[in-house]
Amino acid sequence: MSSDASDAPGPRGAAGPAARTGTGYRAVFAVREFRAVFAAHVLSLLGNVVAQLALAVLVLRETGSPLLTALAFAIGLLPYALGGTLLAPLADRFPARRTLVGCDLLCAVCVAAMAVPGVPTAALLALRALTALVAPLFTGVRAASLGEVLHGDSFVLGRSLLRLVAQSGQIAGFAAGGLLLAAVGPRTALAATAAGFAASAAVLRFGTRERRPPARERTAGGAGALPADRRVRALLGLCWVPPVFMVVPEALAAPYARQIGTGPAGTGLLLAAMPLGAVAGEAAAGALLGPAARERLVLPAAVLLPLPLVAFAWRPALVPALAALVLTGLCAVYALGLDRWYLDAVPRELRGRAMTVMSAGLMTTQGLGMAAGGAAAEWAPPHAVVAGAGLLGTVCAAAAAWFVRMCPVSRIE
């Protein structure tokens, strides 16, 4: 997980610590505090992935119920909306490092409790829900504090690196988690995960600076300004709308693989294709393009993101389907420039809250997109649902992009 590093971010284009040490991703890693944030992020990410997998295996072994096993996965997403709503006001109330370390320690305690033999299934699910409940607070505070650690374009590249790790870490984490479970069993894997969360807390505690929270009266007084600002609403819409449709082929990967006769191997490839495109696109844009070029990509890439999914109307074989999903993943590069616009749109004292809302809304809308895709597939074949998501998503993304274009570039005061 993460934290901060200078007293106040400079204006657009201001040189921060990273800007003085070089350019691109190398400059970001030159900042000592970001290295600590990055290491903690890797530890907590792997912990979440392994805990999710180990809990599902444990629940299946204890109950034999596919429904409860699926719930063990889903419960990692379901509390996001509640956590984002209830905990967002806390994001700017306390020093960032203290909040991040506290979230990590709470996760360590919850996962350690899951590893205790004899814990009832209901308690296991409740403990998992509690770790998910604090996730949007943690993610929002980390994103806001990154604006203190990194200035200007380095903030955008830092956020990009954390996203790249999240995309790659899910694939590697599930693979490594499967090997770990085969070697030591789910309870031991959960105990190791708890140790990982504790290590993340230690890295943040000793590798980052503590900073005073923003002025409390400004934070409380500006609470209503965040959703009321048209520019912020437009940017949140652009952040949330394209992913709603982007996740539909992931939700229907297994049914579509069965439809075209590729089985479990095809399911795995279909699930990996979009993250692969997202990692390749974001890494290339972050390394090769400057800030202005990345910002020019935001609106066209957001609109084009769902469009390749329309190709599923022709029920493509595995290779063309993978190509369409990789193209969709490549368009996720729009998030790079969008991050900078969003950071510029909110004042420092509301950043924690703003980032918490963004994170919680993104996870919630993706969950809704998956649920809607699954429900539609009860009435229509998977390829038609994915194609419909591509067509409708392109229209909705275009509307969201138009709304951003129509809103003035301003900042909440």
Side-chain angles (χ1 to χ4, degrees):
M1 308 189 167
S2 119
S3 189
D4 347 334
S6 325
D7 279 344
R12 177 184 284 271
R20 291 194 294 268
T21 56
T23 59
Y25 289 126
R26 181 179 299 180
V28 176
F29 275 116
V31 180
R32 182 187 63 80
E33 279 192 274
F34 178 77
R35 294 197 298 271
V37 168
F38 185 84
H41 176 63
V42 171
L43 287 168
S44 61
L45 173 69
L46 292 176
N48 269 312
V49 171
V50 174
Q52 186 179 34
L53 186 59
L55 180 61
V57 170
L58 184 60
V59 168
L60 182 62
R61 191 174 74 180
E62 297 284 328
T63 68
S65 168
L67 175 61
L68 289 175
T69 303
L71 185 59
F73 271 102
I75 209 164
L77 290 176
L78 294 176
Y80 255 82
L82 181 62
T85 302
L86 294 180
L87 302 181
L90 302 179
D92 301 299
R93 292 293 231 181
F94 304 101
R97 185 177 70 181
R98 191 180 307 170
T99 302
L100 295 171
V101 169
C103 289
D104 260 344
L105 291 178
L106 176 62
C107 290
V109 170
C110 289
V111 175
M114 292 180 204
V116 175
V119 176
T121 300
L124 290 173
L125 296 177
L127 289 166
R128 174 60 180 151
L130 185 57
T131 64
L133 189 69
V134 301
L137 174 64
F138 181 89
T139 305
V141 172
R142 180 183 62 200
S145 65
L146 203 61
E148 306 291 329
V149 176
L150 302 171
H151 295 173
D153 190 51
S154 292
F155 166 81
V156 174
L157 295 179
R159 287 265 291 168
S160 170
L161 282 168
L162 297 186
R163 267 196 305 270
L164 291 173
V165 169
Q167 294 274 11
S168 307
Q170 288 194 27
I171 300 170
F174 279 127
L179 294 174
L180 181 63
L181 288 171
V184 301
R187 293 195 188 277
T188 305
L190 286 169
T193 298
F197 278 118
S200 175
V203 169
L204 291 172
R205 171 62 182 83
F206 297 106
T208 61
R209 287 174 47 195
E210 187 72 294
R211 289 177 180 78
R212 294 172 300 169
R216 186 160 299 188
E217 64 277 5
R218 286 288 307 276
T219 303
L226 187 62
D229 184 83
R230 290 181 68 240
R231 175 74 173 174
V232 171
R233 289 202 311 271
L235 294 174
L236 286 174
L238 193 62
C239 172
W240 295 342
V241 168
V244 170
F245 303 94
M246 184 181 186
V247 298
V248 171
E250 293 185 341
L252 300 180
Y256 186 73
R258 182 174 60 188
Q259 186 183 24
I260 61 175
T262 58
T267 301
L269 290 172
L270 290 168
L271 287 171
M274 208 179 296
L276 178 63
V279 168
E282 188 153 339
L288 302 176
L289 300 180
R294 292 197 298 266
E295 291 185 25
R296 283 195 296 270
L297 282 176
V298 173
L299 299 183
V303 174
L304 291 174
L305 185 146
L307 188 59
L309 302 181
V310 175
F312 278 78
W314 290 271
R315 199 176 139 178
L318 182 61
V319 172
L322 294 175
L325 294 175
V326 169
L327 285 174
T328 293
L330 285 171
C331 291
V333 71
Y334 86 95
L336 271 170
L338 184 61
D339 277 344
R340 183 56 194 263
W341 289 355
Y342 192 66
L343 182 74
D344 286 347
V346 296
R348 177 177 178 267
E349 63 269 15
L350 290 178
R351 277 188 188 159
R353 187 173 313 202
M355 292 299 185
T356 300
V357 168
M358 175 189 265
S359 171
L362 181 60
M363 296 301 291
T364 302
T365 52
Q366 285 181 316
L368 292 174
M370 287 185 172
E378 292 289 323
W379 306 98
H383 73 278
V385 175
V386 175
L391 184 59
L392 181 60
T394 302
V395 174
C396 293
W402 177 85
F403 190 29
V404 169
R405 187 179 289 277
M406 291 299 102
C407 290
V409 178
S410 60
R411 181 182 169 123
I412 301 172
E413 296 298 340

